[in-house]
Amino acid sequence: MWLYKNKRYKFNEPIDLVYLWVNSDDEDWKAEMLKWKSLEFGLSSRGGFRDCRFFNNHELKYSIRSVLTNAPWINKIYIVTNGQVPDWLNLDYSKIKIIPHSQILPQDALPTFNSEAIEACICNIPELSEYFLYSNDDMFINRPVTPDYFFDKNGKPIVRLVKQKWTTEERNSNLYLQNIEYSIQLIKTKFGKEYKYEPSHNIDAYRKSYFLECKNEFLEQFKAVYYKKFRTTNSVQRHIVSLYMLAKKYAKLKKVDIRINSKKKELENIYLPIMQQDKMKNAISVHNPVLMCINDDENAVSEDRKNLKIFLSALYPIRHNFEKDDDWQIYPVFDDDNARAIVFAPDKNYFKYFCVALYSLIKNSSPEYKYDIVVINSDASERSKKLIEKMIPENFSLRFVNIQEYINQSLIGFNLKSRMYWSISMYYRIFIPLLMRNYSKVLYCDSDIIFNSSVDELFDVEFENNSLLAVLDAISPVINFDKYRFYHFKNVLKLNEPQCYFNSGILMFNIKQISVNSYLEDVKNTLNIPSLMYPDQDILNMLFQNQVKYVSWRWNFQWHVPIFRKKDFNLFEGKFKDDYWKSYANPSIIHYTSSVKPWNSPEEEFAEEFWKYARQTPFYEEIIFANVQNPNIADKRILSNLISRRKIFFNYYRYKLLSCITFGSTKKHYKSKRTKLKEKVKSIRQYLNVK
């Protein structure tokens, strides 16, 4: 049941979706097209033939993603092709069916390279429902819609059209516009109505019975177009069906503005030519359309075409079951070898702390670089995501990727167990080399960290043929004094050098150095080892032993050492000892290791660095409130005062002023109230480091 004009109504009829698609990279298809082009127009097949309408920019996969994400009520999806099948399509997915041209066009009209001829026959698709939508592969649903967006409560299709604004010169030089005009004139001749509108270049709604009725009404014109292998003048265009439904009052007209340079802020539909990613991203952000067409035209630059897949993968990152298992990939957002790819994997309990880590990264970033931030997460609320997105500057990209489906489908038999207070998300970092194969290097960061300086220097460190950059774990320099852990490293993890055990909170993967097939099998084998103490960290140490370049402790300064392990200082030796004290004096990344955290122990050393950034995030009050409720909090009164600090400061200054301008017992009364608040004000100032 859906809403329509604030009234509830039932729409129980199935609604299908039809696409046209061609793989223009298919050499056989190109040879066939050029042969027929030569026969029909006398062009040399050796000279080639370029037409932006045939370019394959991988849009279809992302268009379907947009549909299944924002219109999950769609019944069946039909992809009309010349028999080609997208290499990423899972043919076992029952909701999508390939329809070859031979099923809907006359046999003596084949092969055809004319989209107008194919569109004229989509109503012939076997089992196509009465109610259906038609889309090109470059059309997308940008936000959630319900069926009433396309059909009214009486089942009438809603026809969205754009007011004609082309000049005579533009029409005469554009074959597409000429055929639109031809269709308009056919309707005018038949019904005496002239619709000076053009299509909205977006997903259109039809009823099969009306489509067939229109074809019968203009049977001669439709038959003629079947046999035109390429677009030519005086061809009936699919637009005639929309106009026919309006003329017969079978449909409702809705005028829309699709221009991205429109003065209107929000546009229902937009027509977006392929251009630079930042310009497309800005247009979508400004207009927030329901539907959009990202069109490849003759003005598109090859570099922008090349980047379109990257742009679309960022726009629609959530993979669906219609994609083959081996198509699980996260693609770079920026076409820039120097872009910094950084991955976080917070669960819902750590999301607010991840926000603080991200904010510290932003504040210490350089405007000279671009930052591709991928958040692997399956349980964050939409509210939390939107709050974080508001913090993101222009040189940052932020994506939330749910890999739970990948784990469920592609990692059958992989033993992912939670342990103590660690959730399944601790394993996500292990799968980075499998999911991000199109990157060269990727930095993984835990969410309980603070960036105290720019991370760019770390990205410039050479791997020296190693697969990983990492920092020694705090136990490693003193492992010989811990018999239990030493036994675990040596006999369970089978580490040749236990003193080289690294911490998995900060890791830089050298993606190109890691063999995917052997890595996947190794991951499965290590996951089945029983009694892992720190599952993700133990596994990564087994996988990458002898393949690690170790970097300074300042890139992963583990704060529990000065809190719990001060006695170990005397055991540190040589280079590690020197590196530790330099890192202690100036850590680049502070890692809040152990169960003691700055949000529940604000009195500990280095906690003030966390709170310095936390105060500037939209999660500040949530962090305080969550820890007021925590029974283990060191000092609830401080946090309680922080929540009410504005009221406390206001009343303090109010009573201070009143005690100065009043006399006698009244003055004494206000002075007493001011004195009671003075200690609270003092403690808040000390905590916030306000002088």
Side-chain angles (χ1 to χ4, degrees):
M1 188 174 286
W2 299 283
L3 292 176
Y4 178 75
K5 292 186 177 179
N6 299 322
K7 295 181 181 178
R8 298 182 73 81
Y9 76 96
K10 291 183 179 179
F11 196 100
N12 295 322
E13 298 294 332
I15 301 174
D16 292 340
L17 173 63
V18 178
Y19 283 103
L20 262 58
W21 181 77
V22 64
N23 178 12
S24 59
D25 297 327
D26 183 337
E27 292 299 326
D28 291 338
W29 177 86
K30 282 194 279 191
E32 183 85 349
M33 181 193 67
L34 291 170
K35 181 185 78 173
W36 283 99
K37 198 75 178 176
S38 175
L39 290 173
E40 190 150 330
F41 295 100
L43 298 179
S44 168
S45 61
R46 288 179 300 172
F49 173 65
R50 294 189 66 207
D51 191 322
C52 57
R53 290 181 296 109
F54 295 118
F55 286 149
N56 177 21
N57 298 316
H58 307 281
E59 299 100 323
L60 180 59
K61 178 170 72 173
Y62 298 103
S63 178
I64 297 175
R65 281 190 184 185
S66 79
V67 169
L68 295 182
T69 299
N70 294 309
W73 41 264
I74 287 291
N75 178 48
K76 294 281 186 181
I77 297 175
Y78 297 102
I79 304 174
V80 180
T81 79
N82 69 341
Q84 297 171 326
V85 178
D87 57 10
W88 41 260
L89 181 63
N90 173 14
L91 291 174
D92 293 329
Y93 184 67
S94 60
K95 195 168 184 173
I96 297 179
K97 188 173 182 180
I98 297 292
I99 303 294
H101 296 165
S102 58
Q103 280 193 19
I104 62 173
L105 275 93
Q107 295 305 303
D108 54 350
L110 300 175
T112 185
F113 308 94
N114 182 1
S115 61
E116 290 178 344
I118 303 167
E119 288 176 346
C121 296
I122 57 176
C123 57
N124 298 335
I125 294 173
E127 300 179 4
L128 179 68
S129 65
E130 167 67 11
Y131 298 85
F132 72 94
L133 307 177
Y134 173 81
S135 175
N136 290 330
D137 61 359
D138 59 358
M139 296 172 181
F140 306 86
I141 302 180
N142 186 55
R143 48 191 170 103
V145 290
T146 49
D148 59 300
Y149 187 81
F150 299 101
F151 298 94
D152 76 3
K153 61 182 178 181
N154 298 314
K156 288 185 175 183
I158 298 171
V159 176
R160 290 176 169 81
L161 299 177
V162 179
K163 190 174 179 61
Q164 257 184 39
K165 291 190 176 178
W166 66 66
T167 64
T168 303
E169 291 75 21
E170 287 173 330
R171 184 195 61 196
N172 292 340
S173 63
N174 188 309
L175 184 57
Y176 171 75
L177 295 182
Q178 290 173 37
N179 288 341
I180 291 291
E181 183 64 32
Y182 176 72
S183 299
I184 290 171
Q185 292 306 315
L186 286 174
I187 291 293
K188 182 181 179 182
T189 302
K190 184 71 178 178
F191 297 101
K193 297 179 180 180
E194 185 173 16
Y195 294 94
K196 294 190 175 182
Y197 298 99
E198 62 175 295
S200 65
H201 299 281
N202 255 305
I203 300 173
D204 293 322
Y206 296 100
R207 287 184 62 167
K208 183 166 66 173
S209 57
Y210 299 159
F211 207 116
L212 288 167
E213 186 178 312
C214 178
K215 284 180 66 174
N216 288 331
E217 195 71 56
F218 299 97
L219 190 57
E220 182 182 338
Q221 290 84 357
F222 270 93
K223 280 186 176 180
V225 80
Y226 296 164
Y227 295 94
K228 295 180 178 179
K229 295 192 179 298
F230 298 91
R231 284 186 182 180
T232 59
T233 56
N234 296 325
S235 291
V236 71
Q237 215 267 358
R238 176 176 53 89
H239 183 52
I240 196 172
V241 180
S242 297
L243 300 182
Y244 178 83
M245 292 191 299
L246 290 173
K248 296 281 285 187
K249 298 184 178 178
Y250 292 158
K252 293 181 65 174
L253 172 63
K254 184 162 188 183
K255 303 170 190 176
V256 294
D257 186 353
I258 62 172
R259 300 166 302 154
I260 58 173
N261 59 353
S262 172
K263 292 181 180 179
K264 296 179 183 177
K265 185 174 181 182
E266 281 206 6
L267 293 178
E268 192 176 319
N269 303 166
I270 62 171
Y271 177 85
L272 190 62
I274 292 177
M275 50 187 165
Q276 292 176 350
Q277 290 189 46
D278 55 346
K279 292 182 179 179
M280 291 193 291
K281 184 177 180 181
N282 182 64
I284 294 170
S285 175
V286 168
H287 297 299
N288 191 27
V290 176
L291 305 178
M292 60 185 180
C293 175
I294 303 180
N295 189 256
D296 192 342
D297 60 21
E298 62 275 5
N299 297 316
V301 178
S302 58
E303 191 67 19
D304 294 335
R305 282 197 184 103
K306 175 185 170 185
N307 294 332
L308 184 61
K309 184 176 180 179
I310 296 171
F311 177 75
L312 292 173
S313 69
L315 204 59
Y316 302 107
I318 299 175
R319 184 187 179 280
H320 290 266
N321 291 342
F322 71 85
E323 299 167 61
K324 287 181 179 177
D325 290 344
D326 59 2
D327 198 55
W328 285 97
Q329 280 302 300
I330 301 169
Y331 292 93
V333 168
F334 302 110
D335 186 30
D336 183 346
D337 293 337
N338 290 318
R340 282 46 174 127
I342 305 174
V343 175
F344 297 87
D347 61 20
K348 64 180 179 182
N349 297 319
Y350 263 62
F351 213 79
K352 48 187 171 291
Y353 310 123
F354 151 67
C355 180
V356 180
L358 179 60
Y359 186 79
S360 70
L361 171 65
I362 292 170
K363 298 304 288 185
N364 288 287
S365 64
S366 168
E368 297 177 11
Y369 294 106
K370 294 178 179 178
Y371 299 83
D372 184 354
I373 311 300
V374 175
V375 183
I376 302 176
N377 178 273
S378 59
D379 55 9
S381 69
E382 289 303 313
R383 172 186 172 275
S384 295
K385 292 178 183 178
K386 288 178 181 177
L387 286 174
I388 289 181
E389 286 169 350
K390 291 179 180 178
M391 302 180 347
I392 305 303
E394 288 187 3
N395 61 326
F396 273 67
S397 167
L398 175 67
R399 288 176 287 170
F400 298 96
V401 179
N402 185 349
I403 67 167
Q404 195 57 51
E405 251 185 272
Y406 167 74
I407 291 172
N408 293 343
Q409 292 186 14
S410 302
L411 302 179
I412 297 172
F414 283 60
N415 188 18
L416 304 182
K417 291 183 179 180
S418 58
R419 188 175 188 273
M420 296 190 297
Y421 49 80
W422 297 308
S423 69
I424 295 297
S425 64
M426 67 178 164
Y427 295 105
Y428 291 169
R429 72 199 75 186
I430 296 173
F431 304 123
I432 288 173
L434 301 173
L435 294 168
M436 304 181 75
R437 298 200 297 266
N438 292 278
Y439 289 81
S440 57
K441 62 176 72 173
V442 176
L443 176 65
Y444 168 80
C445 299
D446 273 351
S447 298
D448 55 348
I449 66 167
I450 285 298
F451 295 88
N452 205 37
S453 65
S454 170
V455 76
D456 298 321
E457 183 183 336
L458 185 57
F459 274 88
D460 293 334
V461 175
E462 294 293 332
F463 284 97
E464 297 175 1
N465 294 321
N466 290 297
S467 300
L468 202 68
L469 297 182
V471 172
L472 283 174
D473 189 79
I475 191 64
S476 298
V478 293
I479 190 63
N480 292 328
F481 300 94
D482 190 327
K483 292 182 180 180
Y484 178 71
R485 292 287 294 277
F486 185 88
Y487 177 87
H488 178 73
F489 289 177
K490 197 73 176 173
N491 297 288
V492 178
L493 306 187
K494 308 293 184 184
L495 299 183
N496 296 325
E497 300 179 1
Q499 69 276 14
C500 292
Y501 183 86
F502 58 82
N503 184 277
S504 65
I506 304 292
L507 301 169
M508 183 82 79
F509 291 94
N510 185 2
I511 302 295
K512 302 302 181 185
Q513 185 77 12
I514 302 169
S515 172
V516 173
N517 293 330
S518 60
Y519 182 78
L520 184 61
E521 189 61 30
D522 290 343
V523 169
K524 186 173 183 178
N525 292 335
T526 53
L527 280 167
N528 289 321
I529 295 175
S531 306
L532 295 176
M533 295 179 66
Y534 299 91
D536 65 293
Q537 191 161 285
D538 285 354
I539 288 169
L540 286 163
N541 272 274
M542 286 186 282
L543 292 172
F544 289 102
Q545 69 167 313
N546 304 320
Q547 301 177 54
V548 182
K549 178 175 179 178
Y550 296 90
V551 293
S552 170
W553 239 56
R554 71 185 177 94
W555 294 113
N556 186 353
F557 184 80
Q558 298 148 52
W559 92 319
H560 73 281
V561 175
I563 296 175
F564 297 119
R565 306 278 294 278
K566 289 183 179 179
K567 60 183 177 61
D568 290 347
F569 291 166
N570 297 326
L571 303 175
F572 293 164
E573 296 178 347
K575 291 182 179 179
F576 180 83
K577 185 175 183 178
D578 294 339
D579 181 50
Y580 174 81
W581 286 113
K582 289 178 181 178
S583 302
Y584 179 89
N586 188 25
S588 294
I589 298 177
I590 302 170
H591 187 185
Y592 297 107
T593 44
S594 81
S595 58
V596 175
K597 304 295 183 186
W599 49 85
N600 60 30
S601 298
E603 75 285 356
E604 296 291 352
E605 190 175 10
F606 297 109
E608 70 275 6
E609 296 301 322
F610 171 85
W611 288 105
K612 178 176 72 176
Y613 294 110
R615 281 192 289 274
Q616 301 177 68
T617 71
F619 289 90
Y620 180 50
E621 284 76 10
E622 283 189 35
I623 293 170
I624 294 173
F625 183 75
N627 288 284
V628 166
Q629 294 181 314
N630 188 337
N632 298 319
I633 193 67
D635 192 346
K636 288 187 180 181
R637 288 176 299 176
I638 292 177
L639 293 177
S640 179
N641 289 342
L642 283 170
I643 293 174
S644 305
R645 67 188 185 281
R646 291 183 177 85
K647 184 178 179 181
I648 291 171
F649 274 88
F650 174 80
N651 285 331
Y652 172 75
Y653 287 114
R654 175 169 165 259
Y655 295 143
K656 186 176 182 179
L657 175 63
L658 290 170
S659 66
C660 292
I661 62 175
T662 54
F663 301 94
S665 59
T666 305
K667 181 183 182 75
K668 188 176 181 180
H669 169 74
Y670 287 125
K671 193 172 183 180
S672 174
K673 284 184 170 290
R674 184 195 71 181
T675 302
K676 289 179 180 179
L677 289 177
K678 190 172 184 179
E679 284 304 312
K680 288 185 177 182
V681 169
K682 185 178 179 181
S683 67
I684 292 171
R685 282 176 169 166
Q686 287 176 341
Y687 189 79
L688 298 178
N689 198 24
V690 177
K691 295 182 180 179

